Amino acid sequence: MTRDDRYKLFGVYVSEPVFDALEAFLYESAGVVDYEGYFDPSDAGVPVGDPGADATDRLVSDVVAEFAALYDAADFAAARAVDADAFTLAQLAAEPRTVTRARERFQAAATIQETDSRTVHTAILAAALEGDPDLELEE
């Protein structure tokens, strides 16, 4: 169990372009240079105030708040076309209740779309990151 002063880590599987967009987002918003090695999944949590964790918490909070609009904007067909071996695990940090809400929404979307979580993670996060005018998501 995490305390109120720690974020919970959770992993999402995304396509390489979405991973690159997450990396660019973290660099621009928090100065994170090595996103791939930034979060240690064996840690019980990441302290609030960590710049990368604060940035991903804001991103995940926005995804949860705007999930319906992101779902409508998501390109599930493009995400389904990604080779099954081409997904990359990306660690995100967020407030524990936000993590629970995000997981619930991703799972519901996977059920509705009759697809796997990595397809939903990719499609929804691509839609969220494409909405950021400072980022260019290349497909």
Side-chain angles (χ1 to χ4, degrees), residues 36-129:
E36 191 169 357
Y38 191 76
F39 295 120
D40 180 358
S42 66
D43 285 346
V46 180
V48 169
D50 175 284
D54 288 346
T56 62
D57 177 61
R58 283 189 304 275
L59 175 65
V60 175
S61 294
D62 290 347
V63 165
V64 168
E66 300 297 325
F67 200 87
L70 293 171
Y71 180 91
D72 290 342
D75 188 349
F76 291 103
R80 279 188 191 93
V82 175
D83 183 81
D85 295 329
F87 290 94
T88 301
L89 177 62
Q91 295 292 333
L92 302 172
E95 189 273 326
R97 286 181 300 250
T98 303
V99 170
T100 299
R101 290 180 187 121
R103 285 183 175 150
E104 289 169 351
R105 284 165 178 77
F106 282 129
Q107 183 57 50
T111 300
I112 292 166
Q113 286 291 316
E114 297 179 356
T115 193
D116 58 23
S117 294
R118 60 188 173 198
T119 298
V120 173
H121 294 160
T122 295
I124 297 294
L125 288 171
L129 293 166

